[in-house]
Amino acid sequence: MKQPGLDGRHRDKNPPKAGEIQQKRGDTQNRNLDRPIQQFPSNTRLDTMRERTGKVGVEAVRREAAKRDK
């Protein structure tokens, strides 16, 4: 039975990244995320949001952006 990774992504089975969950592509625009991050404009790329927050995962970026918004 195939086990899905987080958010429907799969785990890489080949070394050197065996077991890591693939991350969302950096060129994904905010408007194309399942739940756009309100603190960023809709045309902001995910790699830009990662740079500004210092986080990698989409949920981590969302939490950090919400913290900074307060």
Side-chain angles (χ1 to χ4, degrees):
M1 175 189 249
K2 184 176 178 179
Q3 295 180 341
L6 297 175
D7 299 328
R9 287 178 237 140
H10 69 279
R11 292 184 184 271
D12 194 348
K13 294 184 172 103
N14 301 322
K17 296 183 176 184
E20 289 184 18
I21 296 172
Q22 286 186 330
Q23 294 295 320
K24 196 71 126 155
R25 288 176 47 144
D27 62 350
T28 302
Q29 291 187 340
N30 190 21
R31 68 174 156 247
N32 294 331
L33 295 174
D34 292 337
R35 295 182 3 238
I37 301 171
Q38 296 175 355
Q39 292 81 5
F40 292 100
S42 65
N43 63 344
T44 305
R45 292 171 42 127
L46 184 55
D47 54 0
T48 303
M49 292 186 274
R50 287 175 174 158
E51 277 180 27
R52 291 183 185 167
T53 61
K55 303 295 180 181
V56 177
V58 175
E59 288 303 316
V61 169
R62 182 174 280 115
R63 284 190 299 269
E64 187 65 25
K67 274 193 233 176
R68 293 179 182 204
D69 194 37
K70 289 181 180 180

